[in-house]
């Protein structure tokens, strides 16, 4: 498995769980601390983030569940750039910290690692998402600026 294969599986996991999946750009996000990684869907209209946890060990099967966190102007409590990632909190008490890197190195679970003869590797794959990560960081800056201006007028 390579980074493009994993990217395709992550897209399929998101698409299977989100009704209007075509409206969203996607990036891979790694939570700060323990927990499943996020496939993060984001869009400018309406301004919204969908944080979709993905159990890499379950891939290529896609678990269906209500555990997608939606963050929009209607429910966001705080958005903060931590310098190495982001903190997101909603008015319902959902809170997470995560990082989005242009080239995350992801440890593959045993079921996704290549089998048979081949070069020895460390069981990881690099997910190339540099342009997507840059676009996401610009999106988050816009989201935080919009939220700040919203609170200034309230």
């Amino acid at each position: 498995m390579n980074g493009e294969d994993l990217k395709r599986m992550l897209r399929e996991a998101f698409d299977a769980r989100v009704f209007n999946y075509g409206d969203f750009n996607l990036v891979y996000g790694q939570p700060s601390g323990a927990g499943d990684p996020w496939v993060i869907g984001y869009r400018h209209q309406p301004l919204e983030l969908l944080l979709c946890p993905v159990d890499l060990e379950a891939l290529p099967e896609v678990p269906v569940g209500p555990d997608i966190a939606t963050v929009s102007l209607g429910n966001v409590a705080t958005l903060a750039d931590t310098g190495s990632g982001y903190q997101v909190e909603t008015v319902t008490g959902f809170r997470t910290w995560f990082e989005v890197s242009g080239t995350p190195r992801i440890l593959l679970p045993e079921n996704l690692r290549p089998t048979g003869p081949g070069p020895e590797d460390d069981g990881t794959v690099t997910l190339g998402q540099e342009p997507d990560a840059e676009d996401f960081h610009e999106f988050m800056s816009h989201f935080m600026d919009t939220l700040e201006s919203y609170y200034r007028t309230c």
Side-chain angles (χ1 to χ4, degrees):
M1 165 162 301
N2 61 34
E4 288 303 311
D5 294 333
L6 181 58
K7 194 184 284 189
R8 180 184 45 75
M9 284 183 172
L10 294 171
R11 166 58 81 176
E12 289 170 1
F14 184 86
D15 292 357
R17 296 169 71 190
V18 175
F19 175 69
N20 54 345
Y21 59 84
D23 293 346
F24 292 89
N25 296 320
L26 300 184
V27 290
Y28 174 91
Q30 184 62 47
S32 301
D36 288 329
W38 300 105
V39 176
I40 302 169
Y42 64 99
R43 64 181 177 178
H44 290 274
Q45 203 53 262
L47 201 55
E48 184 175 41
L49 283 173
L50 295 183
L51 299 159
C52 180
V54 175
D55 178 358
L56 295 177
E57 291 184 13
L59 293 176
E61 298 298 318
V62 179
V64 177
D67 52 354
I68 295 174
T70 301
V71 182
S72 66
L73 286 174
N75 75 347
V76 66
T78 60
L79 287 177
D81 184 337
T82 66
S84 63
Y86 299 97
Q87 176 186 347
V88 176
E89 186 174 1
T90 66
V91 295
T92 60
F94 170 81
R95 181 185 300 172
T96 189
W97 293 264
F98 61 87
E99 298 175 9
V100 173
S101 165
T103 54
R105 191 112 180 114
I106 302 161
L107 178 63
L108 294 173
E110 291 292 329
N111 65 311
L112 295 181
R113 293 183 188 174
T115 58
E120 291 296 320
D121 63 36
D122 62 358
T124 64
V125 66
T126 299
L127 191 66
Q129 62 175 13
E130 294 93 347
D132 300 319
E134 184 177 325
D135 185 58
F136 178 75
H137 295 306
E138 291 172 8
F139 167 83
M140 288 300 287
S141 291
H142 172 69
F143 200 154
M144 288 184 279
D145 290 346
T146 301
L147 185 62
E148 183 179 321
S149 70
Y150 176 75
Y151 282 124
R152 264 188 297 202
T153 60
C154 289

